[in-house]
Amino acid sequence: MRKTEKFIVAALTVVLGVLLIAFQEDVVKIAMSAIGLLLIALGVLDFFNKTLALAVVKAVTGLVVILFGIFAVRAVLYLLAGILLIAGILLLYEKWKSRVRCDSLFQKIFAYALPAICILIGILLLFNGNNTVTWVFVVSGIFVVIEGSLLLVDAIVGD
């Protein structure tokens, strides 16, 4: 990833964390609607490029994503929790398998922070019962802001 891409990803991660803290469950609805609209727009572009089968698949997928974002937010949160748990475990396994060499304690903390935060957010989202939704989103938002800050530090210090 280039340095500018790292800055963009870090900034978007921090913004997502702030939005999770401020708007909690509404962020999921907005994100799913945006992804669904993007898929529908890509389907329309494919329709004009005369790839009808791909256009129909993208448009229907976009519609399903929008409907899931509106009516099945809990299911989306459980799916997101599973994806974050799997990604965090795979990242942790990759770090352990490649035997990451760290010169200082800060480098070691930074190397293992991203997988640990992914796993922690995944676990928090799994336990988003009726009474705990607000604090789960706030705590997850705080961890996402921390993750974005670590990515920003990596973009500045790294390379």
Side-chain angles (χ1 to χ4, degrees), residues 1-80:
M1 208 185 295
R2 292 184 297 197
K3 197 166 193 137
T4 55
E5 292 171 343
K6 286 183 180 181
F7 279 119
I8 291 170
V9 168
L12 289 175
T13 305
V14 170
V15 167
L16 176 65
V18 171
L19 289 175
L20 277 170
I21 294 168
F23 298 113
Q24 286 106 25
E25 199 166 317
D26 291 335
V27 171
V28 176
K29 293 177 183 176
I30 293 168
M32 294 300 288
S33 297
I35 291 169
L37 289 174
L38 178 67
L39 284 169
I40 291 172
L42 291 173
V44 170
L45 288 175
D46 284 341
F47 177 76
F48 287 124
N49 289 332
K50 303 204 190 311
T51 52
L52 188 59
L54 195 56
V56 170
V57 169
K58 286 182 182 176
V60 169
T61 304
L63 185 63
V64 169
V65 166
I66 290 172
L67 291 175
F68 263 100
I70 294 171
F71 297 114
V73 175
R74 298 275 184 224
V76 171
L77 289 176
Y78 286 124
L79 184 63
L80 181 62

Side-chain angles (χ1 to χ4, degrees), residues 101-116:
R101 304 284 287 175
C102 301
D103 296 331
S104 67
L105 179 63
F106 177 74
Q107 286 178 339
K108 185 171 275 195
I109 290 171
F110 186 77
Y112 290 100
L114 181 63

Side-chain angles (χ1 to χ4, degrees), residues 81-146:
I83 290 170
L84 283 171
L85 282 171
I86 291 168
I89 290 168
L90 288 175
L91 284 170
L92 192 61
Y93 177 72
E94 179 185 329
K95 298 279 185 188
W96 180 75
K97 185 179 176 185
S98 64
R99 307 213 191 263
V100 175
R101 304 284 287 175
C102 301
D103 296 331
S104 67
L105 179 63
F106 177 74
Q107 286 178 339
K108 185 171 275 195
I109 290 171
F110 186 77
Y112 290 100
L114 181 63
I117 291 174
C118 282
I119 292 170
L120 188 58
I121 293 171
I123 290 170
L124 285 174
L125 288 177
L126 277 178
F127 298 108
N128 64 355
N130 293 333
N131 298 332
T132 60
V133 170
T134 302
W135 76 265
V136 166
F137 278 102
V138 170
V139 171
S140 295
I142 291 169
F143 283 123
V144 170
V145 168
I146 291 170

